[in-house]
Amino acid sequence: MFSLIYGDNYNAVSSEAYKIIRPFIDKDRAVLGLVTGSSPIGLYKKMIADHNANGTSYRHVVAFGLDEYIGLPRDHDQSYWTFMHENLFDGLDILPANIHLPHGDVDDLEAECARYESILRENVIDIQVLGIGSDGHIGFNEPGTSFDSVTHVASLEDSTRRDNARFFGEMVSRVPKKAITMGLKSIMRAEHILVIAYGEKKAEAVRGMMQGDICEQCPASILQKHPNVTVVLDRAAASRL
Ligand code: GLP
C-alpha cells in the first residue's frame, strides 16, 4: 500500500523524505536500508545537518547498503562503499562495525552473496530507502529479475549503464557491467519502504511502480504488494500518474 507525498522541488522532496526517516532514528536499535544515487543525497545532507546541529546520534544505528558494483575496489571513487561514506556515514557517528555493504571485489561472488543475505536475515530492516531506475529497477534488480530473488549477482542493462555514465566521466565503457544487489525478496522483508523519485525521467517508472501491472518486467511494481510504502515525488516524477 502506497502513501504519496509531494515536494515542489528537490529540497522539498528531501525534507519530506527526512520527516519520514527521522522517527526511526529514535528507536533503541534502528536498522536502516540505504540507497545510492542522486535521489537520496538531499536526505543524507539533512541527516548530517541534524546530527551536527542537534547532536542526534547514530551510534545505535545499523545500516545496510542495497548494492555494490562488481570489480571496483572499495576505495574506488565510484564504489558504492565510497559513495555511502562520502555522502552519509563520514558525517555521522555511526559505528564502522554497524555498516554493512556487499563486497564487489572478491573472488567468490556467490559466497559473498550468501554471506550478505545471511546477515540481512538476522536483521529486520526498519526502513528501506529506495530510488528507482528509469527502467523501473530497484537496487540493481533489472527488468526480468525474479520476484523471489535474494542477494545475487546482477547484469546491468545498457540503459542503466548509460544513466550511470555521468558518474564515470560520461564514459559508458567505464561503468561496470555487473553488481551485487539485494534481491526483490530481500527488499520486501523491510518493515517500511521509502521511495524517493525526482524529475521527468522517472515519471514512467513511477507510473509502472504504482499503477502498472505487477510483473517482473517492472521490478518496482512488486512494491504494490508491500503493506507500507511511502513514495516522495516532485510533480515531474508524478506527471504520468
Ligand atoms: C542506481 C542504483 C539504484 C538507484 C538508481 C537511481 O542504479 N543501483 O539503487 O535507485 O541508480 O539513481 P538516481 O537516484 O541517481 O537516479
Side-chain angles (χ1 to χ4, degrees), residues 35-39 66-67 80 131-132 137 139-140 160 164 166 202:
V35 66
T36 60
S38 41
S39 306
L66 256 183
D67 46 15
Y80 283 175
I132 184 167
H137 73 249
F140 270 127
T160 299
N164 290 358
R166 67 191 192 279
K202 302 294 175 70

Side-chain angles (χ1 to χ4, degrees), residues 76-98:
H76 188 282
D77 62 355
Q78 291 307 326
S79 75
Y80 283 175
W81 171 271
T82 298
F83 177 97
M84 287 307 309
H85 282 78
E86 286 183 347
N87 289 288
L88 184 63
F89 299 144
D90 290 350
L92 303 174
D93 60 349
I94 187 168
L95 303 174
N98 287 345

Side-chain angles (χ1 to χ4, degrees), residues 108-135:
D108 191 343
L109 292 165
E110 291 308 319
E112 176 59 8
C113 292
R115 180 194 72 83
Y116 201 66
E117 186 66 22
S118 87
I119 317 175
L120 283 168
R121 277 181 192 281
E122 289 160 11
N123 292 271
V124 177
I125 290 178
D126 294 306
I127 182 160
Q128 173 69 57
V129 185
L130 295 176
I132 184 167
S134 56
D135 63 357

Side-chain angles (χ1 to χ4, degrees), residues 21-38:
I21 209 165
R22 180 65 187 80
F24 289 91
I25 312 301
D26 290 332
K27 289 190 64 172
D28 288 344
R29 179 179 182 273
V31 184
L32 308 182
L34 299 170
V35 66
T36 60
S38 41

